[in-house]
Amino acid sequence: MQTAITPTGSVEVAKVDKFGIGLELRKFKNPNNSINYPALFDIPKDQRIAAMAEMDLGATIKIVTVALTLALETMNLKRGMTAFQVLDLAEAIVDEAGSDNLAIEDLMLFLQKLTRGEYPEMFEGIDQLKFMLRFNKYRDDRWEAGIAIRDAKVEEYKRLGDSNDFERANPRDASSFGLQLEHFRQKSQERKDELKSRKQ
């Protein structure tokens, strides 16, 4: 997607290899086309949005802007978003991405769902509030999938005879999971409260 960013910083979505993006996203899908969450969770931390932003905030926001612009131009929206609104949305996504370690692939998979009509009400019109409500639902589903995967690992170790094996084999994961879960719950509630206040 970086090829769509011109030397002046503007976005030319015509330069994006849409076919190549589709092929890349297949790496993060199951044969039934559902999301392969374990593959997403295996993306190295330094390749996730928050880490990318730490290295180069401007470039990261531009990449997210390209992804959003590509998706929105693909949709036949009755009421779209201006370039400034898209940029503002991109900044919001980058700002919040660290709370649950989102990767660019997470965003692209969500946008693929969006452009393929999984959220038909969005074709009437889209703004930051509507987008974030749906995107936060994706993030909630992603987090629940992560919990289910971890619980399955714990159960597997229990079946092998020692419920403490998981903590010994995965000390970093086991010791920080509770804190990560509580942090995510707080962030999720803050997002919901903020979106609720905007509606009023």
Side-chain angles (χ1 to χ4, degrees):
M1 285 186 292
Q2 288 177 320
T3 57
I5 303 171
T6 67
T8 60
S10 60
V11 174
E12 293 184 11
V13 292
K15 294 183 177 180
V16 176
D17 181 5
K18 297 177 186 178
F19 181 73
I21 290 175
L23 287 178
E24 186 66 22
L25 290 180
R26 287 183 180 276
K27 297 176 183 178
F28 305 97
K29 290 184 177 182
N30 296 310
N32 65 358
N33 215 36
S34 63
I35 295 175
N36 182 348
Y37 288 106
L40 276 175
F41 298 146
D42 282 343
I43 295 173
K45 194 170 183 179
D46 62 354
Q47 295 177 23
R48 296 176 183 272
I49 295 174
M52 291 167 57
E54 284 184 13
M55 293 179 62
D56 192 333
L57 178 60
T60 304
I61 291 173
K62 287 178 182 177
I63 289 172
V64 173
T65 299
V66 170
L68 292 171
T69 303
L70 179 64
L72 295 176
E73 289 194 3
T74 301
M75 301 168 71
N76 186 22
L77 295 171
K78 291 184 178 179
R79 294 184 304 278
M81 297 177 71
T82 66
F84 179 78
Q85 289 171 326
V86 172
L87 177 60
D88 189 47
L89 176 57
E91 290 180 5
I93 291 169
V94 172
D95 286 345
E96 293 188 8
S99 63
D100 43 358
N101 283 322
L102 291 175
I104 287 291
E105 290 81 358
D106 282 299
L107 176 62
M108 295 304 297
L109 286 166
F110 169 77
L111 291 174
Q112 191 176 71
K113 286 174 171 284
L114 181 66
T115 59
R116 291 182 175 180
E118 291 196 28
Y119 314 113
E121 74 281 5
M122 303 284 268
F123 283 80
E124 288 296 317
I126 192 167
D127 55 27
Q128 184 167 328
L129 176 61
K130 284 183 179 179
F131 184 95
M132 292 306 285
L133 280 170
R134 278 298 186 182
F135 191 41
N136 288 340
K137 176 64 169 62
Y138 167 87
R139 294 167 75 172
D140 290 343
D141 292 344
R142 176 182 179 274
W143 184 258
E144 288 172 8
I147 293 173
I149 291 167
R150 181 187 183 277
D151 288 348
K153 287 181 180 179
V154 171
E155 288 302 316
E156 183 179 350
Y157 277 101
K158 284 181 179 179
R159 284 196 302 273
L160 294 174
D162 189 345
S163 61
N164 294 320
D165 278 351
F166 179 78
E167 283 74 15
R168 286 198 291 271
N170 305 273
R172 184 178 175 186
D173 185 23
S175 64
S176 64
F177 184 76
L179 291 174
Q180 291 175 7
L181 178 59
E182 183 58 31
H183 177 69
F184 175 78
R185 284 178 177 159
Q186 289 175 357
K187 287 287 186 183
S188 180
Q189 188 59 50
E190 287 174 9
R191 289 198 307 265
K192 289 174 183 175
D193 291 343
E194 181 183 355
L195 292 171
K196 186 177 179 182
S197 67
R198 290 184 187 177
K199 281 184 174 180
Q200 297 173 348

